[in-house]
Amino acid sequence: MKFTQLLVMAVLMAGVVLGQAEPNAAGGDWPNWRGPNYDGISRETGWSIWPPTGAEILWRASVGTGFSSVTISQNRLYTMGNTNDTDTIYCLDAGTGQPLWEHSYPSALQANMYEGGPNATPTVAGPCVYTLGKHGDVVCLDKVSGKVIWQRNVKKETGAKANEWGFAGSPLIYEDMVIVNVGTAGTALNKTDGAILWTTGKEPAGYTSAVPYSLNNQNYIAIVGGEAAFGVDAKTGKIVWEFPWKTSYKINAADTIIYQDLVFISSGYNKGCVLLRITDNKPAVVWENKEMRNQFSSSILWQEHIYGFDGNTGKNVPLRCLEFATGKEKWTYDVEGMGSLMASDGKLIYMTQAGELVIAT
């Protein structure tokens, strides 16, 4: 069974749990990678944990091979997969799993030390859903009908160099722009017609998604490229700060975490993590260590602590908690294989590489 198929089922199992929320619990969409606030934290409260017998699986769906997660908007679920060198964007009824529409286009699977297929998660904003394929195809579709509004290949249009495992950052919608991690520190397209508005260079991108932040009443994005982290003026694409961050194979895959003027960065292959303070658009190291080495999954900042999966080697990978202010380890717990992580209602929710969904308190 392919990874994406397992991922869809896991989200459904989580949906069963969230569906048991108290009558006054507030629900909400999950329209983009890492959620509405780009931090991997759901604001759902009052939901109960499934009984010892386990959660009921409501439905299953086959969506091909790939590493796209899912987004949910107005009871519609969006994801991507690849079959026979063809990428397909799927829209399913979130309650029943019934297909509502799909859109396909040619795209090589490119299995390279992993199963291959699309790496990025669709983004829903306004009436549209936006996707980025691993070879640079950016697609804008009507989220209800699936009608193609525009489709562009940003790699070909910008001349950006390809990274080894394809593009992976999910699209960020900022005002009238679609910002993707293509090129040195990102590229912005007009969300209405896909025209290139700005690009930051042709060097290989990282595998992270752009994260928006504001500082001193100015709006920026933080993005990690192949060999550095960047702060970029969201409107103009001007790089306002840069911090060298070289990792083996240029694999910088975990999103930045931003809190006020602090930026947390983490990468695998024994690179480690760093907390930066941005003052006058100049980054300074607050602390740096190897206690958190996010290979793929991004960490979570919750109540002044960082939670994440450290490393990618060996049978067991530590789920670790660090003090945000100092980087000191608070606790660690071994998990079988790497995992993906989110938080909700004071609980950690993670899925292991073996497909086990866990709620930890």
Side-chain angles (χ1 to χ4, degrees):
M1 186 172 293
K2 300 300 183 183
F3 180 86
T4 307
Q5 293 172 305
L6 287 173
L7 181 58
V8 171
M9 287 189 288
V11 170
L12 294 175
M13 288 190 285
V16 175
V17 179
L18 297 179
Q20 297 173 344
E22 300 297 329
N24 294 326
D29 289 343
W30 194 264
N32 50 266
W33 169 243
R34 301 260 287 166
N37 296 307
Y38 312 97
D39 58 4
I41 299 174
S42 168
R43 268 58 185 181
E44 298 270 0
T45 59
W47 52 271
S48 58
I49 301 174
W50 55 66
T53 54
E56 176 189 359
I57 297 176
L58 294 180
W59 55 262
R60 303 172 187 246
S62 177
V63 292
T65 302
F67 286 73
S68 173
S69 182
V70 301
T71 46
I72 298 177
S73 175
Q74 297 177 332
N75 203 40
R76 290 168 177 256
L77 180 152
Y78 302 87
T79 192
M80 298 175 67
N82 185 285
T83 304
N84 298 325
D85 287 326
T86 299
D87 275 359
T88 299
I89 304 162
Y90 295 91
C91 175
L92 309 177
D93 183 288
T96 67
Q98 291 299 308
L100 300 176
W101 56 257
E102 59 185 60
H103 171 69
S104 300
Y105 57 89
S107 181
L109 179 68
Q110 193 180 341
N112 176 14
M113 300 176 68
Y114 80 124
E115 292 85 346
N119 300 321
T121 298
T123 297
V124 182
C128 299
V129 56
Y130 302 87
T131 64
L132 173 65
K134 69 187 303 176
H135 303 295
D137 295 291
V138 182
V139 185
C140 171
L141 307 105
D142 182 279
K143 70 177 184 181
V144 175
S145 67
K147 177 184 177 182
V148 177
I149 298 172
W150 53 263
Q151 183 166 345
R152 312 286 286 261
N153 188 287
V154 69
K155 176 181 179 295
K156 293 178 181 177
E157 293 192 31
T158 63
K161 298 176 184 176
N163 43 26
E164 188 167 356
W165 286 277
F167 300 108
S170 298
L172 167 69
I173 308 304
Y174 172 79
E175 295 187 350
D176 63 342
M177 293 179 285
V178 183
I179 301 175
V180 292
N181 196 348
V182 176
T184 305
T187 296
L189 299 83
N190 186 299
K191 72 178 184 180
T192 302
D193 59 12
I196 302 295
L197 297 177
W198 53 256
T199 189
T200 54
K202 299 181 180 181
E203 293 306 306
Y207 299 91
T208 70
S209 300
V211 179
Y213 72 97
S214 296
L215 193 60
N216 299 324
N217 297 317
Q218 297 292 318
N219 295 323
Y220 305 98
I221 64 165
I223 197 166
V224 188
E227 295 186 322
F230 300 93
V232 180
D233 186 291
K235 288 190 175 182
T236 66
K238 178 183 178 182
I239 296 174
V240 296
W241 61 263
E242 178 177 349
F243 183 78
W245 194 250
K246 294 186 178 182
T247 306
S248 298
Y249 313 107
K250 300 182 180 180
I251 298 181
N252 293 319
D255 290 357
T256 58
I257 295 176
I258 302 172
Y259 177 72
Q260 297 178 353
D261 60 348
L262 299 170
V263 178
F264 174 83
I265 306 166
S266 180
S267 295
Y269 290 99
N270 205 37
K271 176 62 177 179
C273 57
V274 65
L275 185 68
L276 305 175
R277 187 180 302 277
I278 309 299
T279 304
D280 296 328
N281 281 325
K282 295 179 180 179
V285 174
V286 177
W287 56 260
E288 184 173 0
N289 63 39
K290 296 185 184 296
E291 298 300 321
M292 188 71 74
R293 295 159 292 184
N294 294 149
Q295 174 66 14
F296 296 115
S297 177
S298 305
S299 287
I300 300 291
L301 172 60
W302 175 255
Q303 293 186 346
E304 301 180 0
H305 290 81
I306 290 283
Y307 302 86
F309 287 95
D310 172 40
N312 69 322
T313 58
K315 182 179 179 181
N316 295 326
V317 174
L319 174 62
R320 185 160 287 160
C321 172
L322 306 182
E323 190 175 62
F324 185 61
T326 66
K328 294 181 179 178
E329 178 188 315
K330 303 296 289 186
W331 55 257
T332 186
Y333 176 78
D334 283 349
V335 175
E336 185 175 356
M338 291 178 287
S340 57
L341 179 69
M342 63 174 290
S344 176
D345 199 19
K347 307 173 184 70
L348 296 178
I349 304 171
Y350 65 88
M351 188 176 189
T352 69
Q353 191 172 356
E356 182 182 17
L357 186 65
V358 179
I359 295 176
T361 57

